[in-house]
């Protein structure tokens, strides 16, 4: 099993550009989520999904879109990048959130918006 | 509003001593609490989970306590080693989402 994979590892964007951060898991997990991590702020939840076709907002959803068309994939879209979105982004998955299981994290994508 | 707080200042201890990290929360009634370790440039890795009806959980040199009255969890690493140096994050389940504290950086000096 590859676990949770994220691409790209690094990305530099200009203000106003769009891009998609990819996340995939091969563990058949129902629950997937996106976090951003900024110095001194910890991990903040952006969006999450409890299964294919179902997504919901976390603490900091503005400026980000998600969709979940398959169990395996959970891409995060930035429609018009802003410097405030410079951060490290982590994708995570777990079988189901109610089953007290650990979350598995991907290696992260470091995004810089100029 | 709901809040999770961990010591923002780094914790520096000598090898062999016990490290104690604190996680406090307000306005939550979590079903469980988790602790993760994060090394620089990597994603967090799960360490321990403790449920609301459990007072204490142990795993090798790690011990976690959970006091739902004080709304606090303590994370202990006994006989600490330089390899334990990392950032430690606590996380709470709330209404179907997992919310993290900001993490405490532990530095164990030889």
């Amino acid at each position: 099993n590859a676990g949770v994979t994220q691409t790209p590892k690094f990305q530099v964007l200009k203000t106003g550009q769009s891009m998609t951060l990819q996340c995939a898991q091969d563990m058949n997990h129902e629950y997937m989520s996106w976090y951003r991590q900024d110095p001194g702020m910890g991990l903040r939840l952006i969006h999450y999904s409890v299964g294919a076709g179902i997504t919901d907002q976390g603490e900091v959803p503005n400026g980000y879109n998600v969709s979940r068309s398959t169990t395996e994939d959970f891409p995060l879209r930035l429609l018009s990048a802003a410097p405030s979105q410079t951060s490290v982004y982590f994708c995570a998955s777990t079988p189901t959130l109610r089953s007290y299981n650990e979350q598995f994290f991907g290696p992260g994508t470091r995004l810089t918006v100029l | 509003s709901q809040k999770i707080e961990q010591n923002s200042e780094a914790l520096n201890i000598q090898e062999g001593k016990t490290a104690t990290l604190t996680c406090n929360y307000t306005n939550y009634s979590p079903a469980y609490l988790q602790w993760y370790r994060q090394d620089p440039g990597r994603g967090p890795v799960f360490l321990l989970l403790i449920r609301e009806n459990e007072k204490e959980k142990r795993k090798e040199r790690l011990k976690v306590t959970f006091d739902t009255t004080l709304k606090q969890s303590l994370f202990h690493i006994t006989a600490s080693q330089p390899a334990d140096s990392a950032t430690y994050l606590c996380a709470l389940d709330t209404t179907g989402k997992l919310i993290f504290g900001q993490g405490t950086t532990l530095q164990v000096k030889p």
Side-chain angles (χ1 to χ4, degrees), chain A residues 32-45:
Chain A
M32 296 184 73
S33 54
W34 276 101
Y35 293 87
R36 60 177 288 175
Q37 188 171 39
D38 304 294
M41 301 289 287
L43 288 160
R44 291 185 292 169
L45 182 64

Side-chain angles (χ1 to χ4, degrees), chain A residues 54-73:
Chain A
I54 306 169
T55 63
D56 206 345
Q57 296 180 349
E59 301 171 88
V60 288
N62 292 342
Y64 307 95
N65 279 354
V66 291
S67 60
R68 184 98 179 268
S69 56
T70 67
T71 300
E72 295 78 20
D73 300 298

Side-chain angles (χ1 to χ4, degrees), chain B residues 1-109:
Chain B
S1 63
Q2 297 173 323
K3 243 175 144 180
I4 305 172
E5 287 188 349
Q6 297 183 252
N7 289 352
S8 56
E9 289 184 17
L11 179 63
N12 296 299
I13 65 167
Q14 208 67 33
E15 182 177 8
K17 300 292 186 185
T18 296
T20 299
L21 285 68
T22 305
C23 176
N24 294 301
Y25 60 94
T26 57
N27 299 324
Y28 284 115
S29 295
Y32 60 85
L33 184 149
Q34 298 181 347
W35 283 89
Y36 288 77
R37 169 183 173 141
Q38 186 175 24
D39 292 289
R42 294 180 171 268
V45 175
F46 172 81
L47 295 175
L48 279 168
L49 178 150
I50 186 165
R51 301 181 186 220
E52 59 179 338
N53 60 351
E54 296 175 317
K55 296 291 185 188
E56 184 179 294
K57 203 80 169 281
R58 290 175 186 260
K59 179 182 175 183
E60 297 171 353
R61 294 184 296 111
L62 308 180
K63 184 178 88 171
V64 172
T65 62
F66 194 11
D67 189 325
T68 55
T69 302
L70 290 179
K71 294 188 181 295
Q72 181 182 78
S73 175
L74 298 179
F75 177 81
H76 306 273
I77 305 176
T78 58
S80 59
Q81 304 165 0
D84 295 326
S85 298
T87 296
Y88 292 86
L89 303 157
C90 68
L92 299 179
D93 160 58
T94 171
T95 58
K97 299 174 288 190
L98 200 62
I99 305 297
F100 283 81
Q102 74 269 39
T104 299
T105 298
L106 171 67
Q107 189 72 34
V108 181
K109 298 180 180 177

Side-chain angles (χ1 to χ4, degrees), chain A residues 15-92:
Chain A
T15 297
Q17 286 185 314
S18 63
M19 81 158 295
T20 299
L21 306 186
Q22 301 292 344
C23 174
Q25 52 91 10
D26 61 358
M27 297 173 282
N28 203 33
H29 287 171
E30 291 182 4
Y31 184 94
M32 296 184 73
S33 54
W34 276 101
Y35 293 87
R36 60 177 288 175
Q37 188 171 39
D38 304 294
M41 301 289 287
L43 288 160
R44 291 185 292 169
L45 182 64
I46 305 172
H47 285 286
Y48 64 100
S49 169
V50 299
I54 306 169
T55 63
D56 206 345
Q57 296 180 349
E59 301 171 88
V60 288
N62 292 342
Y64 307 95
N65 279 354
V66 291
S67 60
R68 184 98 179 268
S69 56
T70 67
T71 300
E72 295 78 20
D73 300 298
F74 191 41
L76 179 72
R77 296 183 188 86
L78 285 71
L79 297 179
S80 180
S84 61
Q85 294 178 305
T86 294
S87 188
V88 181
Y89 292 85
F90 289 101
C91 178

